[in-house]
Amino acid sequence: MVSNQILQNTIDGLKSITRRDFSILDDDARVVATTIEGTIGEYRLEVEDFINSHADSQEMQGNHYFKIFDEYTVEYVIAIKGEDEEAYKLGKLAAFQIKNLLVAYKERFDKDNFIKNLLLDNLLLVDIYNRAKKLHIENAVRRVVILVESYHNRESNIPEILRNMFPDKTKDFITAVDEKSVILVKEVEEGKDIEHISNTARIIFDTLSAEEISNIYISVGTIVDDLKDVSRSYKEASMALEVGKIFNSENHISTYAELGIGRLIYQLPLQLCQMFIQEVLQGKTIDEFDEETLNTVNKFFENSLNVSETSRQLYIHRNTLVYRLDKLQKQTGLDLRRFDHAITFKITIMVSQYMAYMEQNTFSQQYN
Amino acid sequence: MAGLNLKNVYKKYPNGFVAVKDFSLEIEDQEFIIFVGPSGCGKSTTLRMIAGLEEITSGEIWIGDKLCNDVAPKDRDIAMVFQNYALYPHMTVYDNMAFGLKLRKTPKAEIDKRVREAARILDIDENLDRKPKALSGGQRQRVAMGRAIVREPKVFLMDEPLSNLDAKLRVQMRTEISKLHQRLQTTFIYVTHDQTEALTLGTRIVVMKDGIIKQVDAPGKLYAEPDNLFVASFIGSPQMNFIEAKADKRGDDVFLTFGNSEVILEKAKADKIIEGGYIGKDVIMGIRPEDIADMNTVLDVEKDKYTPIIANVEVTEMLGSETFLYMVCEGNNITARVDPTCEAREGDDLKIGIEKSKIHVFDAETELTITN
């Protein structure tokens, strides 16, 4: 419901326009906001009688009072100082203003609630369409879910910044279903693809960084065409966030569509991973390879096993790269210039990263 | 205003990727420092660690006389401008610039003062009531700068702020950033992969590769005296020419031979080759395109400055003020930037001169400069 602070701001604004004092009382006849100093929390017996009466407005003790309804029950009473005709008119306007504020807040709260339930699969299909229609949310529109996580999420201004970046409340929704991350359900224009959304994620990352929010991770689900599939995009983004942190943590942004085999490895049982590493590296671990070798290998993979391009990007001579690959072949028996050997070593690196992440997580859980 | 001191800073990500290794650098107050290097070299990560947006794995970051390892970004007295900035579309320029200060609960009067002052500095005071969509690209970029300026930081951090602009606007904004630095008299740290930006803006340039500093120097020195093969190849466009050669000594003279060709080194460089024990060993010779001349256009009195070789011209590019020759010599590709009066044509065997004092020689294994 509307906070007392919002009500206070509203009547302060009204006072600065009309030069009249206003007070807002709750349904227990206590003052919750007022422009008259020292009266907050004050109980007014005569207002309780007014609330219980059939009248919508009443003039009492130098004030005009007006009821503000939510559906059919009295939510607030607004009082304006003065007994003249103008005070009556201004009081009615103020009551109308507060009533609209309640409607807007309720709608927003309902939308937020709806989106949360949609993301968590808490709605029946028929309810999705019925409620969406009532809330004026279009059904057949392309949407994508973007998740934003920061270590210091709770005290940060991420939701406020996102609302300012994407101010169209009829198209983009910003919500949260846990304390870890903020969710952006974003409408995607026709013709825009996932690359465009990745760029949007990059803009979010840079904007949050410029607003001094640290340790940000962003993930992107796939674009869906129907409202009922938004929860799928959310699940994909959630997985992309975790998988991205394991295999691609230095990039801070991961998209589900680009997770590749990381998505499969993420679901492997640890025992199977250990057996695989044992078989491929014959008792060694990936940490035993020096950084230069691993950097070279990663760059070689990035460049689709192209020796010339890799040596160019590493600013090393082609022969130096060949020497490093030969050295690795002696150590592991894997010739990375062969596709099947390359994929085995690539999976070995990724499985090792996954195991290290799981060990770290288990350790953190034990000691937190 | 403040200087910075980074001591042995490392960044290792949970997946094992080491982005920055043993980064040590002292930055003077009011310096304009550039971090430059290829994609993935760790320059942005270093900037983000200075900002406090990334935790450091080990080492120390000092801003002024304050150790900032565990200081939150908002308490570091820094402000940042990034490549993919977003202006808030429904806010006016004024509100966009004021937004960060509002989040910090700065008093209204102070916000107003700072926003108007920043707008004046950036020459956008006429546009304060306009929305971003009504602004040109350059004006939007200035608003992004304005959001940083209003924070009145001790240090400005900029991560490729001009990369999304078209070429013409980038040149214009480059000049404006330079002027801004002079006007604000504050420390600037600027990340770019564009060497032209690096050479034109920086008072000092930090060249990085694979998370390691390869050289820190003033632009002129970096260009003229690269410490290693990487810096030599990264700085300069077109790139420096490299030729694998063998160091040879005949009498008092030292030559670099490759195939049937050879170049003679001037005495100071020859002495370094001898002292380093490189005679008979493989080295890499480097020469910049502008340090190669068409010997037909060189005056007689200047001919001694050059050591001649023959190269076959494959392509010529006449650019008006200069001509580029793309040639092959003993299987090595050579690019030369020569006088526009050069009459060489495709297919010609041309006598070109390598300016002796401008020859760089690198150790073939360590890739470090031998002759500086």
Side-chain angles (χ1 to χ4, degrees), chain A residues 69-233:
Chain A
F69 294 93
D70 175 21
E71 303 284 335
Y72 299 105
T73 57
V74 176
E75 191 70 31
Y76 295 109
V77 170
I78 186 162
I80 179 168
K81 201 93 182 155
E83 295 173 332
D84 53 328
E85 184 63 20
E86 194 191 53
Y88 176 79
K89 266 192 206 165
L90 292 173
K92 278 219 77 104
L93 278 172
F96 185 66
Q97 169 75 6
I98 302 291
K99 167 79 183 163
N100 282 333
L101 203 60
L102 289 182
V103 171
Y105 260 74
K106 204 171 166 194
E107 186 166 303
R108 180 172 155 187
F109 176 75
D110 280 355
K111 266 189 187 170
D112 187 55
N113 222 5
F114 172 70
I115 295 293
K116 276 188 176 116
N117 283 317
L118 183 70
L119 294 170
L120 295 172
D121 276 337
N122 286 345
L123 297 170
L124 295 172
L125 193 57
V126 64
D127 288 340
I128 292 176
Y129 297 131
N130 286 340
R131 291 189 61 187
K133 200 173 173 187
K134 276 185 193 163
L135 292 166
H136 309 291
I137 297 172
E138 278 192 66
N139 172 36
V141 167
R142 298 173 82 223
R143 293 187 174 90
V144 69
V145 172
I146 300 176
L147 277 184
V148 181
E149 186 184 292
S150 160
Y151 289 167
H152 312 291
N153 209 25
R154 289 191 70 180
E155 62 266 40
S156 75
N157 300 301
I158 296 174
E160 195 178 346
I161 294 165
L162 289 180
R163 278 191 194 104
N164 283 311
M165 288 180 77
F166 306 102
D168 191 339
K169 294 185 179 75
T170 60
K171 291 182 173 176
D172 304 324
F173 308 99
I174 291 141
T175 188
V177 293
D178 55 38
E179 289 180 347
K180 282 186 347 196
S181 52
V182 178
I183 303 161
L184 166 65
V185 180
K186 174 140 188 44
E187 189 173 313
V188 183
E189 285 170 47
E190 282 302 325
K192 304 281 188 203
D193 57 8
I194 202 72
E195 202 174 314
H196 174 83
I197 303 302
S198 294
N199 193 41
T200 304
R202 176 62 52 193
I203 291 170
I204 294 172
F205 182 74
D206 275 4
T207 306
L208 293 175
S209 297
E211 300 295 355
E212 300 170 333
I213 293 167
S214 57
N215 294 307
I216 309 156
Y217 281 98
I218 298 179
S219 64
V220 181
T222 53
I223 298 170
V224 294
D225 295 321
D226 195 293
L227 194 57
K228 70 176 181 352
D229 296 324
V230 166
S231 69
R232 196 185 78 218
S233 186

Side-chain angles (χ1 to χ4, degrees), chain B residues 267-290:
Chain B
K267 191 166 180 327
K269 292 184 194 290
D271 287 347
K272 286 187 175 155
I273 296 285
I274 296 166
E275 284 162 20
Y278 286 98
I279 298 298
K281 289 189 178 166
D282 290 337
V283 293
I284 297 166
M285 180 184 88
I287 188 77
R288 293 214 180 270
E290 63 271 28

Side-chain angles (χ1 to χ4, degrees), chain B residues 142-157:
Chain B
R142 283 191 211 143
V143 178
M145 300 269 184
R147 293 211 302 214
I149 293 172
V150 293
R151 295 185 181 180
E152 297 184 348
K154 286 179 181 168
V155 183
F156 278 94
L157 307 177

Side-chain angles (χ1 to χ4, degrees), chain A residues 151-152 157 160-161 163-165 167 199 202-203 205-207 209-217 245-250 252 291 295 299 314-317 353 356, chain B residues 13-15 17-18 21 38-39 48 52-55 73-74 78 80 82-86 88-91 99-100 103-104 147 151 209-210 230 233-234 239 244 367:
Chain A
Y151 289 167
H152 312 291
N157 300 301
E160 195 178 346
I161 294 165
R163 278 191 194 104
N164 283 311
M165 288 180 77
N199 193 41
R202 176 62 52 193
I203 291 170
F205 182 74
D206 275 4
T207 306
S209 297
E211 300 295 355
E212 300 170 333
I213 293 167
S214 57
N215 294 307
I216 309 156
Y217 281 98
K245 276 193 254 175
I246 299 171
F247 302 116
N248 194 24
S249 53
E250 68 275 19
H252 296 270
E291 258 173 51
N295 277 347
K299 200 52 110 182
L314 285 170
Y315 290 88
I316 57 174
H317 195 275
Q353 287 172 336
Chain B
Y13 284 95
N15 64 356
F17 177 72
V18 183
K21 295 166 209 164
S39 168
R48 295 179 65 82
L53 299 173
E54 297 267 3
E55 284 160 9
K74 65 183 173 55
I78 42 118
M80 292 157 284
F82 290 94
Q83 177 183 351
N84 297 294
Y85 65 95
Y88 303 126
H90 66 309
M91 289 186 189
F99 182 74
L103 287 183
R104 288 161 165 248
R147 293 211 302 214
R151 295 185 181 180
K209 185 197 170 205
D210 299 335
F230 173 73
S233 64
F234 191 77
Q239 204 189 46
E244 288 180 31
E367 299 186 345

Side-chain angles (χ1 to χ4, degrees), chain B residues 226-253:
Chain B
D227 280 352
N228 49 64
L229 196 67
F230 173 73
V231 175
S233 64
F234 191 77
I235 302 290
S237 180
Q239 204 189 46
M240 185 186 277
N241 298 289
F242 297 105
I243 296 172
E244 288 180 31
K246 183 168 268 183
D248 248 339
K249 184 169 183 282
R250 290 201 299 276
D252 290 338
D253 294 331

